[in-house]
Amino acid sequence: MTPLAPLLQGFFSERLLDQRCASPQTVVAYRDCFRLLLRFTATRVHKQPSDLGVEDVDAVCIAEFLRHLETDRGNGARTRNARLSAIHSFFRYVAFREPAVLAIAQRVLAIPHKRFDRALVTYLTPVEVDALLAAPARHTWLGRRDHALILLAVQTGLRVTELASLTVGDVELGRSAFVRCRGKGRKERCTPLRSQTAAAVRAWIKERATGESTPLFPSRRGGHLSRDAIEALVRKHAATAARTCPSLRSKSVSPHVLRHTSAMQLLHAGVDRAVIALWLGHESVETTQMYIHADLSIKERAIARTAPLAVGAKRFQPTDALLAFLEAL
């Protein structure tokens, strides 16, 4: 039996960290995938995770694990595919390092990603944004923090991981105010701030009076907020805002919805797709296409420019006696 443990250790230390210089977010995502996979496989074959062999994690096991993610853990197709991508990456490494298990690796690599429906993106209207910004109780420290965080998220469209990792030194509040972040794919970008956003962030930083390396939006203990914490506070304030803005009750508001809202604001302002892609840190301009699909007003303006078809509103009259009989039924 080919031991799994040394191959997995080599994959993380040699392939991910040394050769690929993977980002901390990638390493964490891959780590979480294999923690789930090892626990599932250990239960399945009644072994300790450190005693597993590559033969235990074959294509049949991987297929059952993927079903487990969807049925037992309630993961969607996107999460399932992300876990499978991590597994594929590992087995490409295994095929290179251990030719003896090449057949197992090939069968695992043959497992396809699942296709899924792409729903229209959800975003907030200006009225809903105002209600959400008014929800935090700004007479409290947490309320002022949450208000500044939501305002920055709506205006800049930063990803939740980018928001969570911001420090005081990442914000420049001079004549040209902007926020600097390192986003997906190790791409560093700067996003300008409106005067309203810059004023709110300036007041928040002045209240904190801390060094540049400290988190911009800290937790109660002073550390960086986690992704889950940011998602929880956005949902909490969205529930509060729904009391005065009923349209929010039908929307599941998350940090990513705030990112979509920022993109739609730029699109409605007539900003070019290429600029929006740069603003959001997209790898390709084509990714920004989904916002055009979601904006009904753009389609309405397009159809308003077209000439109506010269078609009269005549009722269909069958020419054949048999068709006339059937039509009358």
Side-chain angles (χ1 to χ4, degrees):
M1 177 178 287
T2 305
L4 180 65
L7 288 171
L8 199 54
Q9 291 171 348
F11 171 70
F12 275 92
S13 60
E14 179 183 338
R15 176 58 61 87
L16 287 185
L17 296 176
D18 186 24
Q19 296 177 354
R20 292 181 55 185
C21 296
S23 67
Q25 291 85 355
T26 299
V27 174
V28 168
Y30 279 39
R31 178 205 66 189
D32 292 344
C33 172
F34 284 99
R35 286 172 62 186
L36 292 172
L37 176 60
L38 291 176
R39 289 171 179 166
F40 174 83
T41 308
T43 303
R44 180 175 178 268
V45 299
H46 307 291
K47 292 182 180 179
Q48 292 298 319
S50 56
D51 296 330
L52 293 173
V54 176
E55 294 82 355
D56 295 319
V57 194
D58 57 6
V60 175
C61 176
I62 298 299
E64 292 181 3
F65 170 68
L66 296 174
R67 282 194 293 270
H68 161 72
L69 292 178
E70 294 186 278
T71 58
D72 298 335
R73 294 183 61 85
N75 294 152
R78 284 184 173 88
T79 302
R80 181 255 192 204
N81 290 345
R83 303 298 193 199
L84 181 58
S85 294
I87 295 170
H88 279 173
S89 181
F90 170 67
F91 273 93
R92 282 192 290 269
Y93 172 79
V94 169
F96 171 75
R97 287 294 303 270
E98 291 291 337
V101 293
L102 180 60
I104 295 176
Q106 288 177 332
R107 284 192 287 271
V108 172
L109 292 172
I111 298 175
H113 287 82
K114 178 174 285 190
R115 302 188 67 177
F116 53 88
D117 296 331
R118 295 182 181 272
L120 293 177
V121 297
T122 301
Y123 62 95
L124 305 184
T125 65
V127 173
E128 293 168 344
V129 170
D130 291 341
L132 181 61
L133 289 172
R138 275 180 274 177
H139 64 276
T140 66
W141 181 86
L142 288 177
R144 291 188 293 274
R145 179 201 67 182
D146 295 353
H147 173 79
L149 186 153
I150 293 172
L151 180 60
L152 184 69
V154 170
Q155 197 252 286
T156 62
L158 294 181
R159 298 180 178 91
V160 62
T161 52
E162 296 166 351
L163 284 170
S165 62
L166 286 178
T167 64
V168 174
D170 292 327
V171 183
E172 175 59 47
L173 296 173
R175 173 175 293 182
S176 299
F178 63 88
V179 60
R180 182 188 302 105
C181 73
R182 184 181 293 273
K184 193 175 181 180
R186 294 178 174 271
K187 295 188 295 289
E188 186 174 293
R189 71 182 190 278
C190 296
T191 307
L193 301 178
R194 296 193 190 100
S195 57
Q196 176 194 11
T197 308
V201 174
R202 184 182 292 109
W204 170 245
I205 293 177
K206 184 178 180 180
E207 177 182 349
R208 298 200 60 231
T210 53
E212 291 191 353
S213 61
T214 55
L216 179 60
F217 301 113
S219 64
R220 293 177 183 269
R221 298 181 179 180
H224 285 279
L225 285 171
S226 66
R227 291 182 52 175
D228 291 342
I230 295 178
E231 290 176 356
L233 71 86
V234 169
R235 288 194 172 91
K236 179 185 73 173
H237 294 307
T240 302
R243 300 171 189 168
T244 57
C245 185
S247 61
L248 283 172
R249 297 171 187 168
S250 61
K251 295 183 178 180
S252 178
V253 183
S254 68
H256 212 66
V257 170
L258 303 185
R259 177 172 165 83
H260 292 328
T261 302
S262 175
M264 295 303 292
Q265 289 175 348
L266 294 171
L267 186 64
H268 289 158
V271 178
D272 186 77
R273 282 194 305 141
V275 177
I276 298 176
L278 289 173
W279 185 285
L280 298 177
H282 284 162
E283 186 71 25
S284 170
V285 178
E286 297 304 319
T287 308
T288 317
Q289 191 76 17
M290 62 181 177
Y291 298 112
I292 298 179
H293 286 295
D295 190 4
L296 185 60
S297 62
I298 292 179
K299 301 172 185 177
E300 290 173 341
R301 290 196 297 270
I303 197 172
R305 296 191 184 103
T306 62
L309 298 175
V311 178
K314 295 182 179 179
R315 182 178 177 82
F316 171 73
Q317 296 292 336
T319 57
D320 185 85
L322 179 59
L323 291 179
F325 165 74
L326 294 175
E327 184 68 21
L329 294 177

